Amino acid sequence: MTEKYILKKDHLQPFLRKLKKSHQLVAPVQNRHGDTLFTEIDNLDKVHIDLDNQPQNSLKRFFFPQQEVLFTYHNPARDSYYFETVADESAPTLYFGVRPCDMSALLYMDVVFLKNARDPNYLHKRQNNILVGLNCNEPFANCFCNATRNGPFIDFGFDLQLTDLGDRFLVEYDRSRGQEIISSWRQFFAEAAESDVKAQYQAFLEARGKFRLQVHLDQAVKKLAEDEVPESVWEELSMRCQDCGGCAYICPTCTCFTIRDQPISDSDGERVRAWDACTFSGFTLMAGDHNPVDRQMRGIEKRFRHKLQFDVKKDNRPSCVGCGRCVNICFGGTDIVRFINMTCCGNI
Amino acid sequence: MPSQLLELYLPKAAEIQEVIEENSQIKTFVLAFVDPEYNDGFSYEPGQFLMVSVPHCGEAPISISSTPVNRGTVHLSVRRAGKLTEAMHDMHKGDVLALRGPYGRPFPMASLVGRDLLFVAGGIGLAPLRSVINTCLATGHERSITILYGSRTPSDIAFKADLQAWGQRDNVSCQLTVDRAEPGWDGAVGLVTALLGHCTLAPHETKALLCGPPMMIRAVLGQLADRGFADQDIITTMERHMKCAVGICRHCHMDDKLVCKDGPVFTLEELKQLNVMELQG
Ligand SMILES: Cc1cc2nc3c(=O)[nH]c(=O)nc-3n(C[C@H](O)[C@H](O)[C@H](O)COP(=O)(O)OP(=O)(O)OC[C@H]3O[C@@H](n4cnc5c(N)ncnc54)[C@H](O)[C@@H]3O)c2cc1C
Ligand code: SF4
């Protein structure tokens, strides 16, 4: 048995306070409007860390900001053109209360940003952080991580992983850093009793039975691979998709970006990268108005194929993590759950 | 962080040594990196491309049209197409732009050795093939080389100096055609496929390299298939909107492939596994 510990809920605040001395803290915070968002916390006493609701945002922007300066460029004369890197000021950060879906999304982002080439901006933000996850005893209304197979409990990727057992958390670690944290702050942790471990397993079994959505993801993956998705599904989806990009922005695994120059003066400017969405008509547009993808008809198709077909072919798993955020945000009714249901059950 | 890491997106300044006006739409820029040490160490293979930065215009992918055999400079042959390429056309000898790369999977040069070669190009499409042809010639390719080049009008014919030099080689047959003749033109008029129809080829001993507009590619592919060329002996390049060129931003996706990393050079055999517009319609 791997070592498991108990952290009493009374000890959470003092424990976070200690870690906050060396790390910036990001956790789900409920703001005065009632929205729960992953937020940078300055003063622990002034915020309400909300572990009861699903954060509306994922961790994406903390590692891959919506807009970021890659470097500045300078062109004081026609024969002089030079570049200056911008120091990344981001401090070592503790991400607390990360759900299995968002943890899995981060592991997927690692593949995107570090496998083909090592993206310096991403790498810098990914280094020196601590990930403290939280298993989901109560899946939310639109969750389907049971279908994507990365939740509601997870056993890798984190430094520390918490399971809520009422008045206390069961704590596991995956990486050596997690073990170090426990040894450094041993006063907060007690060894877990066998009954605690049993209680965790019980919570897991119960959580698995609480999903409200039935999503036949495997079946959709199979149909895509065998090219059996009826054309009418794509037609319906592209007709209804409003091309707003909301799904891609909110999605923790949508990582496409654009790069552009932002002039500051006649001679200087910034090279900026910003989130993009493959559903946008400009995504594949080339000079001379030439587009190899019929965006009107195929934009949204490309998005679903990427997540459920091409990534499966490449990495053996879909890149949808079942967080359900796109279900909430899509007013066109063309989110991924709708697509899967249309494909598998003919439901529209 | 090691500096090499920081430089993933950081281009290097390069000075324009010479501008060759190929036609009213295409100019070839002869470039050398400003940092002499970097310039000396710079190497690439035919078929690879560079990301070109021009102040305030962002970046664009451009194939290297020179041969790596000639060290010291790289050639980029650029057709006016939009913001960045227009701005490039306004640049002169002595001006500085910036480059990063080389990127992409090159042409399989080793597999061309000992084979007859057929090059079919339209317009700016000759740029990457020019790199291959000049490399083959410089490294003593002995078997026959057929070059078919289509342009819109006789004044649109680019790379005239190369075409002339190639035509003088014993083992090279270089044939031109135009869509529309102009006074004084006594060459062929029509599509490159018509030229191809008149060529004697040994399909099983020949590698065919094509580069040009999708319409041309489709027509030529059809003919080559009819003449018994195997899919793995037909090699072409793909063009897609591109931003990062290092396999991250996903603009250049073609199903599960990325043009910047898995391409831009593909065999027909590989392309047939994918759903690509160039092969359809
Ligand atoms: C691998 C590769 C090799 C190429 N080699 C050559 C070459 O040797 N000579 C040549 O003249 N052209 C080449 N092109 C096409 C060239 O990249 C485009 O013409 C150029 O990007 C247009 O940029 P623009 O700013 O002038 O046009 P705009 O329409 O203003 O384009 C804005 C931006 O969109 C992107 N973009 C637009 N069109 C294309 C396109 N066709 N391909 C990729 N990105 C695009 C670029 O990031 C560009 O900066 C190549 C393209 C690829 C993918
Ligand atoms: S999708 Fe799964 S992991 Fe994510 S919040 Fe819902 S139950 Fe938790």
Side-chain angles (χ1 to χ4, degrees), chain A residues 223-238:
Chain A
K223 286 208 171 187
L224 281 165
E226 290 166 3
D227 214 7
E228 277 177 5
V229 178
E231 186 60 22
S232 60
V233 168
W234 301 125
E235 273 168 24
E236 169 89 19
L237 288 172
S238 33

Side-chain angles (χ1 to χ4, degrees), chain A residues 259 285-288 290, chain B residues 49 51 57-65 76-86 124 127-128 238-243 259 264:
Chain A
I259 301 177
L285 188 66
M286 298 195 284
H290 169 61
Chain B
F49 64 94
M51 290 302 279
C57 297
E59 286 181 298
I62 302 290
S63 308
I64 304 177
S65 68
L76 298 178
S77 302
V78 180
R79 189 175 68 92
R80 294 173 192 274
K83 191 173 166 194
L84 185 145
T85 49
E86 286 286 356
I124 186 69
M238 288 286 122
E239 194 174 319
R240 286 291 180 274
H241 188 113
M242 221 171 251
K243 285 298 172 195
V259 171

Side-chain angles (χ1 to χ4, degrees), chain B residues 81-263:
Chain B
K83 191 173 166 194
L84 185 145
T85 49
E86 286 286 356
M88 260 184 106
H89 272 246
D90 286 336
M91 298 181 90
H92 308 288
K93 183 178 156 96
D95 290 353
V96 170
L97 43 68
L99 308 170
R100 64 183 173 97
Y103 298 120
R105 186 172 64 149
F107 284 102
M109 296 302 290
S111 76
L112 308 186
V113 176
R115 303 287 291 258
D116 288 352
L117 301 178
L118 168 68
F119 295 92
V120 186
I124 186 69
L126 191 52
L129 296 186
R130 175 188 188 236
S131 177
V132 183
I133 297 169
N134 282 331
T135 304
C136 289
L137 294 176
T139 53
H141 188 89
E142 284 170 359
R143 306 237 348 201
S144 98
I145 296 179
T146 306
I147 300 164
L148 310 179
Y149 183 44
S151 306
R152 250 181 302 178
T153 68
S155 21
D156 288 318
I157 296 172
F159 308 105
K160 288 195 191 74
D162 292 282
L163 292 165
Q164 205 167 17
W166 296 335
Q168 283 164 5
R169 296 276 192 144
D170 289 341
N171 63 332
V172 180
S173 151
C174 187
Q175 302 172 44
L176 310 185
T177 184
V178 297
D179 295 344
R180 254 180 308 116
E182 280 168 351
W185 174 255
D186 57 4
V189 179
L191 301 175
V192 276
T193 40
L195 291 183
L196 185 57
H198 295 124
C199 289
T200 328
L201 299 166
H204 299 294
E205 292 173 37
T206 307
K207 287 270 183 192
L209 289 78
L210 337 171
C211 196
M215 278 247 294
M216 183 206 96
I217 299 279
R218 273 197 290 271
V220 174
L221 286 179
Q223 262 204 34
L224 293 178
D226 290 346
R227 295 185 66 168
F229 272 81
D231 290 348
Q232 70 267 24
D233 288 334
I234 303 177
I235 306 164
T236 186
T237 62
M238 288 286 122
E239 194 174 319
R240 286 291 180 274
H241 188 113
M242 221 171 251
K243 285 298 172 195
C244 78
V246 290
I248 306 180
C249 82
R250 281 203 73 88
H251 272 271
C252 66
H253 70 280
M254 281 192 333
D255 293 4
D256 59 325
K257 301 278 183 256
L258 294 172
V259 171
C260 70
K261 172 178 138 295
D262 302 308

Side-chain angles (χ1 to χ4, degrees), chain A residues 124 236 276 347:
Chain A
H124 184 81
E236 169 89 19
D276 206 340
N347 281 348

Side-chain angles (χ1 to χ4, degrees), chain A residues 137 153 163 165 198-208:
Chain A
N137 293 355
F153 280 43
T163 307
L165 298 180
K198 278 198 181 134
Q200 185 204 26
Y201 189 60
Q202 189 61 31
F204 166 64
L205 293 180
E206 283 173 22
R208 276 204 319 189

Side-chain angles (χ1 to χ4, degrees), chain A residues 143-144 146-147 211-216 337 340-341 345:
Chain A
C143 294
F144 58 101
N146 54 337
F211 285 91
R212 280 163 266 180
L213 286 186
Q214 272 268 353
V215 182
H216 302 286
V337 171
I340 293 169
N341 287 344
C345 322

